[in-house]
Amino acid sequence: ARLFGGEVRGITLGERVVPEFSRKLHVAAEPLVIRREWQVWRGWDSGLCPSVVWAQPLPGAMGINILGSRTAVNMGMAQMILYDAQPFQNRYGLVPARHGGTGYRGSSGGYAFSDVGDPQMTYGAEQSNSEATVARTVENMLGTTMIPGVRSWPARREALHVAFIRKGIGDRMFVQIDPDENDMLIQALDSKCVYPVNPATGRIDDSVAAMKKASGLFHNVLDALAYLLVHLYPAEDWLKRQILT
């Protein structure tokens, strides 16, 4: 890709989890404009390196804009929200509609939010407070209600595949990623999230456990995106429409 196509690529040590991803096709050439009239969705993954992804689906299921993403290393969810999530939202004026406010990148404040994430968040203890669940931490700090995500890895994996092969409006692909606010997510999609390959047999282990072990902290932000995509755009729904048409 570097020699013949001029693409900036990382070294892939295994089979990419989302081989359909292309920096050229899926990463926007310029920062994405945040639309106040479009709902903002947040996808969450918990654990030692909690992650969040902000996105705006286009009207009519014609695409989705990935506005930003953050991953915190060795922090609890409360710390991640305080030091990573809230500063991102403040920078772009992403405040709930009832608070009003003024934003940037074309936004003018007052947004509707929905949140979906790792189903373990509904019963996993927050590291800094054993009395609270991780989901309750998110709900209390951001004034939202957490939707438990789909647990099945095959369903999340297929949602990722379908989202990145779909076409959107005109020449754009269905998924467009902001180039300035998604460094770790772009790396995860491009080369960091992989299934390990057995060097002796050449066989690929495509289990979620193997993927997480091979991908290190990069899998967290991919998981956050997967929970969001499978909730909004289940692969089977799109595949059924393709068969009917």
Side-chain angles (χ1 to χ4, degrees):
R2 288 195 300 268
L3 290 175
F4 300 107
E7 295 184 33
V8 178
R9 295 288 296 276
I11 297 174
T12 303
L13 301 177
E15 183 75 16
R16 287 200 296 163
V17 175
V18 190
E20 299 84 0
F21 169 78
S22 164
R23 284 179 181 260
K24 181 178 180 180
L25 297 176
H26 296 106
V27 179
E30 298 178 349
L32 297 172
V33 174
I34 303 173
R35 306 281 186 177
R36 186 166 63 90
E37 65 271 22
W38 297 352
Q39 187 167 13
V40 177
W41 281 82
R42 289 178 295 222
W44 299 86
D45 186 56
S46 58
L48 292 176
C49 300
S51 294
V52 58
V53 172
W54 291 265
Q56 282 193 313
L58 275 63
M62 296 304 295
I64 185 169
N65 289 341
I66 309 302
L67 307 176
S69 51
R70 291 293 185 272
T71 295
V73 180
N74 295 326
M75 285 187 186
M77 185 62 78
Q79 291 173 298
M80 193 273 276
I81 292 173
L82 182 63
Y83 296 117
D84 292 306
Q86 288 180 331
F88 173 85
Q89 295 190 172
N90 292 339
R91 181 180 306 136
Y92 296 114
L94 290 172
V95 295
R98 63 183 180 275
H99 293 155
T102 302
Y104 302 93
R105 279 164 60 181
S107 65
S108 56
Y111 295 85
F113 285 87
S114 290
D115 294 83
V116 60
D118 184 349
Q120 293 190 66
M121 292 173 66
T122 59
Y123 58 84
E126 164 62 36
Q127 294 173 17
S128 62
N129 181 0
S130 60
E131 299 299 319
T133 66
V134 181
R136 185 63 58 82
T137 298
V138 175
E139 292 172 343
N140 290 341
M141 294 186 72
L142 296 177
T144 187
T145 299
M146 181 66 66
I147 302 169
V150 174
R151 185 180 301 275
S152 166
W153 170 241
R156 288 184 280 139
R157 177 182 60 203
E158 292 308 307
L160 284 166
H161 290 315
V162 165
F164 282 92
I165 65 173
R166 289 178 65 171
K167 290 280 292 181
I169 301 173
D171 294 332
R172 71 163 271 166
M173 297 299 287
F174 188 79
V175 176
Q176 287 293 285
I177 302 173
D178 186 274
D180 296 339
E181 295 288 358
N182 292 284
D183 181 63
M184 184 169 284
L185 176 60
I186 292 170
Q187 290 186 63
L189 289 163
D190 187 37
S191 61
K192 297 297 186 180
C193 282
V194 297
Y195 299 116
V197 179
N198 187 313
T201 65
R203 296 184 62 180
I204 298 168
D205 185 345
D206 63 356
S207 67
V208 65
M211 182 275 288
K212 290 182 177 182
K213 185 175 181 180
S215 305
L217 62 88
F218 287 92
H219 80 83
N220 297 89
V221 69
L222 188 69
D223 275 343
L225 177 62
Y227 285 122
L228 187 59
L229 290 176
V230 73
H231 180 78
L232 294 173
Y233 312 109
E236 60 269 23
D237 289 357
W238 182 79
L239 293 170
K240 287 177 182 176
R241 288 197 298 271
Q242 299 309 299
I243 293 173
L244 292 174
T245 56

